[in-house]
Amino acid sequence: MSKGTVVLAYSGGLDTSCILAWLKEEGYDVITYLANIGQDEDFESARKKAETLGATKVFIEDLRAEFVQDFIWPAVQANAVYEDRYLLGTAIARPCIAQRQVEIARQEGAQFVSHGATGKGNDQIRFELTCYALYPEVQVSWTVERFIPDGCHAPGDLYLMTKNPEDSPNARDLLEIEFKKGVPIKVTNMNEGKSVDSPLDIFSYLNEIGGKHGVGRIDIVENRFIGMKSRGIYETPGGTILLQAHLDIETFTMDKEVRKIKQGLGVKFSELVYNGFWYSPECDFVRQCIAKSQENVEGKVQLSVFKGQVYILGRESPKSLYNEELVSMDVQGDYDPCDASGFIRVNAVRLREHHRLQGFFNTKQ
Amino acid sequence: MSKGTVVLAYSGGLDTSCILAWLKEEGYDVITYLANIGQDEDFESARKKAETLGATKVFIEDLRAEFVQDFIWPAVQANAVYEDRYLLGTAIARPCIAQRQVEIARQEGAQFVSHGATGKGNDQIRFELTCYALYPEVQVSWTVERFIPDGCHAPGDLYLMTKNPEDSPNARDLLEIEFKKGVPIKVTNMNEGKSVDSPLDIFSYLNEIGGKHGVGRIDIVENRFIGMKSRGIYETPGGTILLQAHLDIETFTMDKEVRKIKQGLGVKFSELVYNGFWYSPECDFVRQCIAKSQENVEGKVQLSVFKGQVYILGRESPKSLYNEELVSMDVQGDYDPCDASGFIRVNAVRLREHHRLQGFFNTKQ
Amino acid sequence: MSKGTVVLAYSGGLDTSCILAWLKEEGYDVITYLANIGQDEDFESARKKAETLGATKVFIEDLRAEFVQDFIWPAVQANAVYEDRYLLGTAIARPCIAQRQVEIARQEGAQFVSHGATGKGNDQIRFELTCYALYPEVQVSWTVERFIPDGCHAPGDLYLMTKNPEDSPNARDLLEIEFKKGVPIKVTNMNEGKSVDSPLDIFSYLNEIGGKHGVGRIDIVENRFIGMKSRGIYETPGGTILLQAHLDIETFTMDKEVRKIKQGLGVKFSELVYNGFWYSPECDFVRQCIAKSQENVEGKVQLSVFKGQVYILGRESPKSLYNEELVSMDVQGDYDPCDASGFIRVNAVRLREHHRLQGFFNTKQ
Amino acid sequence: MSKGTVVLAYSGGLDTSCILAWLKEEGYDVITYLANIGQDEDFESARKKAETLGATKVFIEDLRAEFVQDFIWPAVQANAVYEDRYLLGTAIARPCIAQRQVEIARQEGAQFVSHGATGKGNDQIRFELTCYALYPEVQVSWTVERFIPDGCHAPGDLYLMTKNPEDSPNARDLLEIEFKKGVPIKVTNMNEGKSVDSPLDIFSYLNEIGGKHGVGRIDIVENRFIGMKSRGIYETPGGTILLQAHLDIETFTMDKEVRKIKQGLGVKFSELVYNGFWYSPECDFVRQCIAKSQENVEGKVQLSVFKGQVYILGRESPKSLYNEELVSMDVQGDYDPCDASGFIRVNAVRLREHHRLQGFFNTKQ
């Protein structure tokens, strides 16, 4: 008699194949689940392996469009960067993958979920927090431990999506990215005239162009949620282009003080996503606030991509005309230069008194 | 009879020459002051021009070493970046230049200072706030208005220090930067074996290497203190290399939670410096807190510079050994994998209840 | 011939009567405007005085209901307190008064507005920023300077709404306040059974009860927007009761981490309102975020009011049941006590390493 | 043969007596440790009970002076309040108690520590984090579970230090508290002329006066570290008086912008202490920053204590004279009223453009 049903996040690799075999041996029915979020993988071969190892059912789910639209786009809006450098690629993928796994578990009446993420890594936390958040009664049945040693320079072949910038083309690509409500709605290659406009096509195309030019590689030390430092080597070609373009159009169209508050919310969002709290009341709240801030983030950014770098060349926006109005206002004399002096002198009141006070105390001593 | 003495920040250019002439005409004695903070300028020709125009005295001050050590180094410690992109080059130079001008004014008994910064730009504010903060009784006597139109792509020849990345060398430079207390104390070019170790030499050398490889060019829209948006085109080759290297060694050696608090202070610092409040009680306070956070930020970062990019290759630190200890602790079994599960489940208590509660309310409606 | 029309915020007092007379003399048509936001004032006598002094038109506007609902309620949701103590009474009134004045100016075709707020006080700033924000072409025509010296204890008769707590009743009042979406929808006096439920009645009644018991008096030094410190003596009887009750029901019904983010937004909101930025993109943004956070802030708070104090006695909420569920979950053993140990040990990983590292360095030195 | 030595935080009550007996039975040597931090307890009777139950050694440590100076004073400097209301009394006591327990464990060669704090409460976390932080090799050997149900009004006799305000004296006490570097150095009762000046005497005396007048009782719901809400009933008579007095003298003597940054650090400090991270790198960092901010927080605050309330009556400070200077500066005309208008108009530039822009878009739609 079966001990129950486990939905296992299965990659076709050694680790999760071992887990599958072990779970069968222990008397569980195992449903394998493999999410396609755009990785380079032989899905059919994984299906066969799972069937051979005795999986009751095999789910292979194409989550690519959903991943881009519901997970990556909010991160673009947030300018999400963890500890000033990491663009959160896998951290964003995890809740997307786990939420579908939980849906399958509910639909198949499975009480257990399992995965191959390692115990001290963040991915275990991200995976399990999502499962508990969306399916509070679920039980997580197994983890596997594996460690990647730190200390040596990363070999080049760790990178799958990006070329080495030294080997990348000697001619730049010129892109124009159009945004509406803070997300890209169209990308045009100005060299070739080609353009794409669905979320998945946009993201795939930016990954392709960014990858070709070696954009978005980093080799960092990061602080894991549980406090340990670990080395991370990442490549985020499309994400890096989008971050630069979004930063630009956002600053161009968003009020200065709104931007400052939103920047703080973006830092919070990044930390929550890194730590696995995508599905939490606070992340939900922050996402809604950030979305609210993006209503007027709209326009086009021109940029070039070359040898690992993204260069912003210019921007335009239907929401930006007030800048020109302001300039013409200067010319017309509506702005009194004496106002600037008053502004500065009032800002200086506090500073002057501080200085006088210090002088006074120094004299007394 | 003279109306008094003005110390004029004089560049030798048209604007400040006009101011000089005008001030003389109005009946002031004018002392000109020209600070050398590393810009490419013909100081002797400026001296002659000032004398010809009737300057009573001419001060040409070499502030380069002071600028690097007292102004740039604290910005490096802070990872100072305004609105996620601008590395604050001129914003940092202004208080350095103005503080010496005020010293000269005091020493020469001048009641007035003057400058050529434009009324709506930030530089007027930065200049005047510094003067008022350090010499509360001073009067600022004149400003000149000039505007740079926005809207077109920046021509390449705006850049003085950096080569166009497309024209930069096809071979990378390999550098090792050594930090102590969060500031660089030595830079070694690992290709050539050359190394430099005084603050000014370090900064100049990084500017040279960065410039050669086209590092640190940006074309942005920024929010000025007074609320208007304006376009800024900047190049910060050495600063960009230092920012990347410092971010790396800091994350490697600083506690995760200290880092998070310090990151917030760095954002504040950047905003204060951008707005001209270098000499303010709050900026002083923030600088002291940040300096305190840097006590253990120590070690060496290896990086390559190539075609406009800085790539971190590795890092080492006498303060980092605990990472290896932690890894070995895993092996020895001091870390119980069941702890991670407990950690996750406790973090999930709130999320699970939130989900249950929402389900309960949805049922009720 | 008239120089134009001025809408003057007129109180009937000496200062604004002088301004009225002076504006007439200078050749302006003057429309007076007096807002009733609940203050104790002889509106009819003010009307007569204005007419006598030559006002072209006299507007006396009852803004009480609007003031409570559109201005005070958002401040209640925000737990708005400036510098930890000041409940922002007059700071909130100013944009309410000025927005109506601007409406009248537009409707009457007046190009000018005027007021009696003093130059260095915050009220001038709050007034004028609101006018410029809502009517960018308006001109502000006059300010009057007056200073209140600091340094002596406040005499008791400064307070208009609150009794001296020493003279207040020896029997407490028991109230129950019901909230929905973070604003009070009903107040019941549990001694008398009386209850009120419109916004204006609720606020007036809480002012009455709070005033009777001497609640909400403060004598503080505050930092004005322009940087100077000034003494402020305030009474906010109803606001103080609402702040305590709202804090309680909010903490009872809001997720811990949402609360933390919202607390930061509330501090920002308070600062913006204090500084006069009610009508600004950033205050609008913050208000919307805060309103979003209040969706489940719902329930009843019981409290007593006695001798200047508010004591929370208990609370209940339809959104709070999950707490009881959690407790029962403990009983049922769904919560593994070993999880807590795992949680703690994982939190301690960083602390233990920090300690070991310090020991190691101390040994080396 | 003994399994090892345990240092048990022993209260003399039922729970820890059971633990003691159980540990003996299990084969451990048990050293009991009872800290005197000012609670009302029969220490000698506890000693006898411990000896009777077989404790190898009994430590009764008077930590009162250390507790006030090293733990309460930094919290006073920070204006430490958790979730806007809780003054952190027990949260501050826990690291003080545990650090001495760890010292004893080290000195006695004990590998184990134990305590009676409950598994889901914060006190277990605070206790254990301190132990791990200061003695990384230690093992925590036992916890006991106990739950206090929520939902009913707190009975009056829960309070040990404070009288019911309704039963408190009808005459107020007048106090003057003198601060230096943000901590109290002298308290004078202005009715009686009595004054005290050691840290322990000051804190005890303020507890006595506050307790007599029923100051500092709260009945709240709070969010525990692990995310659950729980009810807390606290009394902090002396702490409440100090919080009000310190807030006052701090605002009087600290620069506005420093205050704002420091306020954020104080919120962080409160959260860290609540969560048990007193001994952590980040809490250490925050404490040092806060201490730095207190250098000029100096002067005297006069206040009255009456029927549960603290009323600030006035303040004076040798660091405050600049305020008077500023006022006289006004009189002398050094402050140009036109500066205020310029200041306001520059602040309004952004708001006016925002309004115009919105009008423009509305017209277009």
Side-chain angles (χ1 to χ4, degrees), chain D residues 38-181:
Chain D
Q39 76 273 43
D40 190 21
E41 195 124 31
D42 184 344
F43 295 101
E44 275 319 301
S45 133
R47 174 192 300 277
K48 274 177 207 144
K49 211 186 248 177
E51 285 165 354
T52 308
L53 289 165
T56 315
K57 279 195 184 181
V58 174
F59 284 84
I60 294 177
E61 306 284 304
D62 184 349
L63 305 180
R64 290 176 303 156
E66 185 182 350
F67 178 44
V68 171
Q69 193 152 343
D70 297 348
F71 293 82
I72 295 177
W73 275 191
V76 168
Q77 290 183 316
N79 302 326
V81 184
Y82 179 69
E83 291 189 339
D84 294 313
R85 297 187 290 180
Y86 171 42
L87 269 68
L88 294 166
T90 53
I92 294 172
R94 196 57 56 186
C96 175
I97 296 169
Q99 54 92 17
R100 180 70 190 116
Q101 184 171 0
V102 157
E103 265 180 30
I104 291 171
R106 283 189 180 278
Q107 152 197 328
E108 299 291 324
Q111 310 90 309
F112 302 93
V113 292
S114 184
H115 63 93
T118 63
K120 282 172 73 188
N122 291 303
D123 279 338
Q124 180 189 1
I125 301 175
R126 291 166 190 153
F127 176 85
E128 297 186 11
L129 284 181
T130 301
C131 293
Y132 288 132
L134 300 180
Y135 187 5
E137 306 78 17
V138 84
Q139 293 191 43
V140 178
S141 65
W142 171 260
T143 65
V144 65
E145 302 295 323
R146 213 179 16 151
F147 302 101
I148 300 156
D150 190 6
C152 53
H153 292 189
D157 55 10
L158 271 182
Y159 296 106
L160 300 172
M161 305 166 75
T162 52
K163 285 196 87 151
N164 186 334
E166 302 191 22
D167 306 329
S168 70
N170 289 315
R172 63 185 191 168
D173 271 289
L174 277 177
L175 302 180
E176 182 176 82
I177 306 183
E178 186 173 352
F179 286 88
K180 190 142 197 169
K181 301 202 178 213

Side-chain angles (χ1 to χ4, degrees), chain D residues 2-301:
Chain D
S2 166
K3 286 187 184 163
T5 303
V6 183
V7 178
L8 168 66
Y10 181 71
S11 71
L14 187 61
D15 287 348
T16 50
S17 294
C18 287
I19 299 175
L20 201 173
W22 184 85
L23 286 168
K24 292 290 300 178
E25 231 178 80
E26 290 288 306
Y28 294 94
D29 290 328
V30 181
I31 294 171
T32 63
Y33 156 67
L34 175 45
N36 176 2
I37 55 158
Q39 76 273 43
D40 190 21
E41 195 124 31
D42 184 344
F43 295 101
E44 275 319 301
S45 133
R47 174 192 300 277
K48 274 177 207 144
K49 211 186 248 177
E51 285 165 354
T52 308
L53 289 165
T56 315
K57 279 195 184 181
V58 174
F59 284 84
I60 294 177
E61 306 284 304
D62 184 349
L63 305 180
R64 290 176 303 156
E66 185 182 350
F67 178 44
V68 171
Q69 193 152 343
D70 297 348
F71 293 82
I72 295 177
W73 275 191
V76 168
Q77 290 183 316
N79 302 326
V81 184
Y82 179 69
E83 291 189 339
D84 294 313
R85 297 187 290 180
Y86 171 42
L87 269 68
L88 294 166
T90 53
I92 294 172
R94 196 57 56 186
C96 175
I97 296 169
Q99 54 92 17
R100 180 70 190 116
Q101 184 171 0
V102 157
E103 265 180 30
I104 291 171
R106 283 189 180 278
Q107 152 197 328
E108 299 291 324
Q111 310 90 309
F112 302 93
V113 292
S114 184
H115 63 93
T118 63
K120 282 172 73 188
N122 291 303
D123 279 338
Q124 180 189 1
I125 301 175
R126 291 166 190 153
F127 176 85
E128 297 186 11
L129 284 181
T130 301
C131 293
Y132 288 132
L134 300 180
Y135 187 5
E137 306 78 17
V138 84
Q139 293 191 43
V140 178
S141 65
W142 171 260
T143 65
V144 65
E145 302 295 323
R146 213 179 16 151
F147 302 101
I148 300 156
D150 190 6
C152 53
H153 292 189
D157 55 10
L158 271 182
Y159 296 106
L160 300 172
M161 305 166 75
T162 52
K163 285 196 87 151
N164 186 334
E166 302 191 22
D167 306 329
S168 70
N170 289 315
R172 63 185 191 168
D173 271 289
L174 277 177
L175 302 180
E176 182 176 82
I177 306 183
E178 186 173 352
F179 286 88
K180 190 142 197 169
K181 301 202 178 213
V183 300
I185 55 167
K186 188 177 182 182
V187 173
T188 307
N189 187 319
M190 290 155 80
N191 298 349
E192 308 165 6
K194 174 183 175 168
S195 77
V196 291
D197 54 14
S198 80
L200 180 54
D201 287 346
I202 287 172
F203 195 66
S204 303
Y205 185 64
L206 292 176
N207 266 337
E208 180 195 324
I209 293 290
K212 169 181 153 192
H213 291 283
V215 164
R217 291 178 164 200
I218 52 168
D219 174 343
I220 63 172
V221 168
E222 71 196 63
N223 288 297
R224 292 192 201 159
F225 184 21
I226 63 171
M228 268 179 284
K229 293 180 188 304
S230 73
R231 190 179 187 186
I233 293 168
Y234 302 104
E235 52 184 346
T236 330
T240 302
I241 297 172
L242 280 174
L243 172 64
Q244 293 305 322
H246 182 266
L247 269 176
D248 196 71
I249 197 69
E250 183 177 272
T251 309
F252 194 48
T253 53
M254 189 180 284
D255 175 80
K256 177 196 178 200
E257 297 298 320
V258 174
R259 190 196 186 288
K260 214 188 293 180
I261 299 164
K262 187 259 170 184
Q263 183 179 353
L265 293 170
V267 170
K268 186 71 197 166
F269 174 80
S270 306
E271 186 194 320
L272 288 170
V273 171
Y274 184 86
N275 288 345
F277 288 88
W278 185 282
Y279 287 106
S280 65
E282 65 272 27
C283 196
D284 195 49
F285 176 57
V286 169
R287 260 195 312 271
Q288 290 183 60
C289 294
I290 290 175
K292 172 69 60 186
S293 78
Q294 302 292 303
E295 279 172 5
N296 288 315
V297 178
E298 173 176 343
K300 294 173 183 171
V301 178

